[in-house]
Each structure stands twice: as structure tokens, then as C-alpha cells.
Amino acid sequence: MLQLDFHPTGRHFLQIPGPSPVPDRILRAMSLPTIDHRGPEFGALGLKLLAGIREIFETQHPVAIYPASGTGAWEAALVNTMSPGDHVLMYETGHFASLWARMAKKLGLSTEVLAWQGSDPVLPHAPSWRRGIDADLIEQRLRQDGEHRIRAVCVVHNETSTGVTSDIAAVRRAIDAARHPALLMVDTISGLASAEYRHDAWGVDVTISGSQKGLMLPPGISFNALSPRALEASKSARLPRSFFAWDEIVEMNQGGYWPYTPSTNLLYGLHEALDMIRAEGLPNVFARHQRWAAGVRAAVSAWGLPIQCADPAVYSPVLTGVVLPEGVDADAVRKLIHERFDLSLGTGLGKVKGRMFRIGHLGDSNDLTLLATLAGCEMGLKLAGVALQGSGVQAAMDHFASHPAPAAGR
Ligand SMILES: Cc1ncc(COP(=O)(O)O)c(C=O)c1O
């Protein structure tokens, strides 16, 4: 038996913005016996999953499912559509956008990274890490590119390092207004099945996502939702690819199979997750996360601490970044909270390391688990000597009590 050094009583509070807490129902589904991935039962399961996952991306087109983490799906999007030296336009919303740009460079692409250049009093060294994508900047840059050297615009929908959810429809409008043929590639690794997302309606060519966030699964599978233009581009793209190549996957998927051994038990989990999400209805799933997020933000505001996202129009429904006063080491506070209360919070990444922590409000949660999370944060902040203006827990209780969930306590 696997033995982990957990606290002896109660459940660990996994309140990082993914992996998110996995519902027992999904864990149970994953414990079923592994079956032959070339047998008839598997083919039937595969077809069901491939149809079901399209509903989540809101697409009529193929979705490739990889036995890989989200990083693999980032790579898949680039290697299937681009050729060596192709120029890609990216936008720095935070750590994950920066990592994707770094990967593009490593793959031999020419990268150009836009960023919001205004000044910010809270995080002067990272102003673009507090705001969503400015689609006008993208439009201006594309208008300058009369020769159409830019082959793709790559953006992150829900920036997990900051708690900002950008307006992807606005990015599409910017590309169209500039009459530019670049492909639009969007990372919604932490947005899928928790923040509204429409692959077809927003004219996205490749959407990248992963299992361990809104889908409430453990890490290990990831996705590329495709458009007909992306599939067309893949026919002439020349970056080397094999494991990630869409053509073989899409072909084998016709029968519900994969060209190699898929993650069978994670796919059982996906089957269960799709059932759960369908039963609740995607609009209700989005509303549930928005409601949780508003309660958590009420707490942070009551503490008198800045929310990392400076623009209420793009607050993330999935996570909230909490910026600590200058001189307080946010990672030391997180460590204390973990040791004292068995609660894991997200660390500050990259440019904001040590300055903030992240509270995930996704996955198998409810009002009371979130209140307990906020209680852990509040106790830890006080123990660390951070001066708080008021009780965040009280503010969140007031919020949840005065904004009842539509059904079944969610
Ligand atoms: C927005 C975003 N992009 C990419 C990744 C990388 O995904 P993975 O860690 O599954 O490889 C993450 C992981 O948290 C993410 O949140």
C-alpha cells in the first residue's frame, strides 16, 4: 500500500489551482479494472468520450486526447501547425504564458512577446501580470505585419499564475479586424469546465487543456481541440512530430482507439467527469465557480490585501491571487499554513515568487470547504504577523449566506 505522510485525521485541503480535489465518484470510477485498449469495450468508451469532450470545448470538430500533462499539449499545438523558424506572437499575462513562449523558442520558432506596458503600484516589476490581454495591442501588431510573417497568435485564457481570465473573443475580433491569417491558439488548461469557453464560436484554431483542473481529474491527460484550419495547416507544417501527430490520432479515433496505449483508467475518470458536468449543465458549472470566486474575493478584500488581478472585468472564477505586503515572504506564510493546518495553497511563480499566494476554488469543493480554506489562510496570516483589516472568513460567510447556490448546496 502506498503510504504518504498525511495528517492522521480528516482530509488534506488541496486548494492549489490544480491539480484540484478529485470527487470520490471519479476516484471510484478510476479504480475499475483496466481493460484491453484494442478491445470492443474500449472502442465504445473511446467514442463516447470523444463525443462528450467536444461538448465541453463547445466544438463540432475533433479533440485529440494525449496521455501527457498540459505541457505536452502545448508542444502538440506548436509542432502540428508550425515549421522551423516560423514567427509566433505571444502575450505575457504571467508565468504560464512565459513558459509557453520559452517552449516555442526551444522548438525553433521565432517568438515575439507582447505585454501591457502601463505602471502598477502593487507589482511595479510585473504590471502585465495583473491584467488581461489587451487585444488592441495584438491588432496593432498584426496590422503592421503586411507580409503575414506571423503564423500564430498564442495566448493563455485563464492565467493560473495570476488569476486573470482574458477575453478570447476579443482576441479573435482583433485578428479579424486586422484581416490577418494567423492561427489563434489558446491555452485554457485551467479554464476548461470552470470558466466559460467556446472553441468554435470564438474562432479558436487550437485549444490546449488538461485534466487536473476544472475537469476534476488527476493529472495525466491533456487535449488539443482543433479547427478545420488547424488541421489544414498541419498538412504542410514541417516541425518534427511523432507521438503528438494529429493525423494518426484523428484517424484511429474514428473507431474510438488511439495509435498507442491510452491512459485507460484516467479515461474512466473522464467518463465520470463528463457525466457529472452534463448532469449539472455547463452554465451552472460556470456560475458555481463565479459564486465561489466572489466569496473568496470578498474575504481577500476584507483582509485589506490586494487581489493580484487588478481589473474586476477579468477576475478568474478558478483561482484568486493574494498579494502580501512588501517584506512578507508569501512562501513562508504558505509553509506555515501547510504545517499548521494541512492546507496547500498555490505558490507565487516566476516574477511574483514570494510576493503572493494563490487560492484555488475549483474541483470537488463547496461553501464549507472554501470557508475552511479561508479560515486556514486567515489564521496563518495572523500567525505570520500580517496585519489584517478585518475577517475574511466573516466576509465570505456573509457572501455565501446572502448568495445562495441554486441547487444542492453548490
Ligand atoms: C495555464 C497553464 N498552462 C500550462 C500549464 C502546464 O501544464 P502541466 O503542468 O499539466 O504540464 C499549467 C499548469 O498548471 C497551466 O496552469
Side-chain angles (χ1 to χ4, degrees), residues 44-66:
L45 172 72
L47 287 175
K48 217 171 148 193
L49 294 175
L50 290 161
I53 196 67
R54 291 181 186 192
E55 292 173 28
I56 308 290
F57 283 93
E58 301 205 17
T59 183
Q60 305 289 326
H61 303 295
V63 177
I65 306 180
Y66 294 107

Side-chain angles (χ1 to χ4, degrees), residues 33-209:
T34 305
I35 57 171
D36 172 10
H37 61 289
R38 314 245 184 237
E41 293 90 355
F42 189 91
L45 172 72
L47 287 175
K48 217 171 148 193
L49 294 175
L50 290 161
I53 196 67
R54 291 181 186 192
E55 292 173 28
I56 308 290
F57 283 93
E58 301 205 17
T59 183
Q60 305 289 326
H61 303 295
V63 177
I65 306 180
Y66 294 107
S69 83
T71 304
W74 265 349
E75 181 161 334
L78 295 173
V79 296
N80 275 288
T81 54
M82 297 289 118
S83 296
D86 275 355
H87 195 66
V88 293
L89 187 64
M90 315 197 75
Y91 193 106
E92 186 181 333
T93 41
H95 188 65
F96 289 104
S98 306
L99 286 184
W100 198 14
R102 198 178 73 179
M103 167 189 278
K105 222 173 186 169
K106 283 189 194 166
L107 290 171
L109 299 174
S110 149
T111 56
E112 179 178 341
V113 181
L114 299 177
W116 187 76
Q117 296 296 348
S119 64
D120 186 84
V122 175
L123 295 172
H125 66 297
S128 73
W129 288 41
R130 298 196 69 210
R131 286 160 183 86
I133 295 163
D134 180 350
D136 289 345
L137 284 183
I138 292 179
E139 183 178 334
Q140 280 165 28
R141 179 62 190 94
L142 292 178
R143 280 184 189 280
Q144 291 163 2
D145 182 36
E147 292 172 20
H148 295 168
R149 277 189 62 239
I150 296 170
R151 302 303 303 266
V153 174
C154 300
V155 293
V156 175
H157 173 227
N158 188 70
E159 179 51 82
T160 326
S161 62
T162 64
V164 173
T165 308
S166 288
D167 181 350
I168 299 304
V171 177
R172 176 77 261 169
R173 284 194 298 274
I175 298 172
D176 291 348
R179 295 177 187 279
H180 199 288
L183 293 174
L184 173 57
M185 307 215 220
V186 180
D187 166 343
T188 190
I189 285 178
S190 61
L192 193 75
S194 43
E196 185 188 11
Y197 192 83
R198 298 171 187 274
H199 178 82
D200 286 0
W202 294 347
V204 182
D205 292 299
V206 187
T207 299
I208 296 105
S209 196

